[in-house]
Amino acid sequence: MSFLRKNLFVCGIITVLLLAWLFPGLGAKDGILKTGLTTKLGVMVIFFLQGTTLRTRQLASSLGNLKLHSFVLGWIFIFSALIHLAMAWLLHSLSMDVLAQGFIYLALIPTTITSAIIFTSAANGNIPASIFNTTVSNVAGVFWVPFGFVLFFSSNGGVQLQLVGPLLFKVSQLILLPLIAGQILRPFIREKKWFQSISPKLKILNHGIILFIVFSSFSQSFLSNAWEGIQPQSLIVLILLTSLTVVIVHGGVWKSSGWIGLNREDRITALYCGSQKTLAAGAPMAVAILAGSQQFNQINQGLLLLPLLCYHPMQLLLAAIVLKRLEK
């Protein structure tokens, strides 16, 4: 029971994957749960709640640390992305193109917010800097992920930049507007007793929506028979490559942060902010981009998220192991 409590979200992911396999009809877009609509509403709720929790006033105290910020954002959007793209190329060379798409998407998405800040705080890192980098990367991700998606996933004759505008408009409706609305309302509701009483439960709601999105995505992948071409050995390769990627990225951030002379506090911040990938924003962004999209109808949402679903628990496990070493 202690293990289940500590790993409840990961166990939830395994459970919804099993349910999607057993009862895929429940997750059909026009099924009883109307996931074509409810997942979009869920995305809006997630980013509205994220807007109410972003502590933007605390960002000013960290603005001057440009060396750390450029290093962390460079790892989030450039160096770790290159590592993930290298893994995608390797999977492509092994004729595992469907899984390679998931690594390409993994290369695009930003870092986590909550877990990166929590681990930074627990390891006595630079908390204001972690708030700055996680916030900036996630806001930037709202614009970068759709652009990168068009860049890497365009079909029918190369990159179709004309798709970026409509895609950004759709993503802005589902993600950016709720995020801004949450940020605007934050000063008016955060001190209210009713909001403080429900705040501990918002994380449960957030995780529940993410699990629902994962269930819907994989239900539709089972209904479309997308798994027919996936062999068991392909999944083993995926798990091994994901594990290797997590270790390489974490090790790369830590080593290179020492090479550029960051102090211990900033190195801890760089480690936890520069190495992680967000499932909380990654899954909703996939829904926002692919929902009703004719341009990317060749992409299966469930399989696109599969590497991220593997990466998420592995990064948390390694982060916890590293935390114990840092505490010593």
Side-chain angles (χ1 to χ4, degrees):
M1 291 303 297
S2 176
F3 174 83
L4 290 176
R5 282 193 295 268
K6 291 179 180 178
N7 301 276
L8 191 59
F9 186 59
V10 176
C11 293
I13 291 175
I14 297 172
T15 302
V16 296
L17 292 180
L18 182 61
L19 289 173
W21 177 55
L22 293 173
F23 310 106
L26 290 176
K29 288 183 179 181
D30 297 321
I32 189 172
L33 298 178
K34 302 295 181 183
T35 58
L37 173 63
T38 52
T39 53
K40 292 179 184 179
L41 295 175
V43 170
M44 296 176 75
V45 171
I46 284 177
F47 282 92
F48 174 79
L49 294 177
Q50 194 173 95
T52 64
T53 58
L54 287 179
R55 293 167 284 186
T56 48
R57 289 187 179 181
Q58 296 186 21
L59 303 184
S61 62
S62 181
L63 282 176
N65 201 340
L66 295 179
K67 183 178 181 180
L68 173 62
H69 300 330
S70 58
F71 176 81
V72 173
L73 293 174
W75 263 101
I76 293 172
F77 290 112
I78 300 174
F79 305 120
S80 70
L82 290 174
I83 294 171
H84 289 105
L85 290 175
M87 295 300 177
W89 174 84
L90 180 58
L91 285 168
H92 175 73
S93 66
L94 295 173
S95 300
M96 300 179 185
D97 291 351
V98 175
L99 298 181
Q101 289 180 341
F103 267 91
I104 294 173
Y105 184 64
L106 197 56
L108 298 176
I109 59 177
T111 188
T112 58
I113 293 182
T114 305
S115 64
I117 295 173
I118 289 174
F119 279 116
T120 299
S121 175
N124 297 315
N126 188 333
I127 299 174
S130 70
I131 295 172
F132 179 91
N133 284 286
T134 55
T135 302
V136 169
S137 69
N138 275 262
V139 173
V142 175
F143 301 95
W144 163 241
V145 174
F147 178 81
F149 211 90
V150 171
L151 190 65
F152 287 103
F153 291 104
S154 288
S155 58
N156 301 324
V159 178
Q160 298 171 286
L161 293 179
Q162 69 273 15
L163 300 178
V164 174
L167 197 57
L168 277 175
F169 179 73
K170 183 169 68 171
V171 170
S172 296
Q173 287 180 309
L174 293 179
I175 293 178
L176 192 59
L177 290 181
L179 186 71
I180 294 172
Q183 187 64 193
I184 291 173
L185 291 176
R186 172 179 161 80
F188 302 101
I189 63 176
R190 62 179 177 178
E191 301 299 334
K192 301 293 184 181
K193 289 184 178 180
W194 63 266
F195 186 77
Q196 293 179 354
S197 65
I198 66 171
S199 288
K201 301 173 184 178
L202 293 181
K203 183 178 180 181
I204 299 175
L205 174 62
N206 191 64
H207 283 179
I209 294 173
I210 295 169
L211 291 176
F212 181 73
I213 290 172
V214 172
F215 169 74
S216 170
S217 300
F218 277 83
S219 292
Q220 291 166 37
S221 71
F222 286 122
L223 287 172
S224 63
N225 297 318
W227 289 82
E228 284 186 351
I230 306 297
Q231 302 298 322
Q233 57 267 31
S234 298
L235 297 179
I236 295 173
V237 171
L238 172 65
I239 293 171
L240 291 176
L241 283 184
T242 306
S243 304
L244 180 61
T245 305
V246 171
V247 173
I248 290 174
V249 172
H250 280 73
V253 174
W254 183 254
K255 284 290 185 181
S256 57
S257 66
W259 294 340
I260 67 170
L262 294 180
N263 61 44
R264 179 179 174 82
E265 189 179 63
D266 286 351
R267 289 185 74 187
I268 290 171
T269 301
L271 173 66
Y272 286 119
C273 296
S275 61
Q276 298 194 357
K277 290 293 182 179
T278 174
L279 176 61
M285 280 184 182
V287 172
I289 292 171
L290 296 177
S293 175
Q294 298 299 317
Q295 298 89 352
F296 305 112
N297 56 10
Q298 80 281 7
I299 297 174
N300 186 278
Q301 189 172 295
L303 295 180
L304 186 73
L305 293 175
L306 191 57
L308 176 57
L309 291 176
C310 292
Y311 197 96
H312 177 78
M314 291 178 185
Q315 72 182 8
L316 295 181
L317 176 62
L318 184 57
I321 293 172
V322 171
L323 176 62
K324 292 181 180 179
R325 292 180 63 87
L326 290 173
E327 288 175 338
K328 293 179 181 179

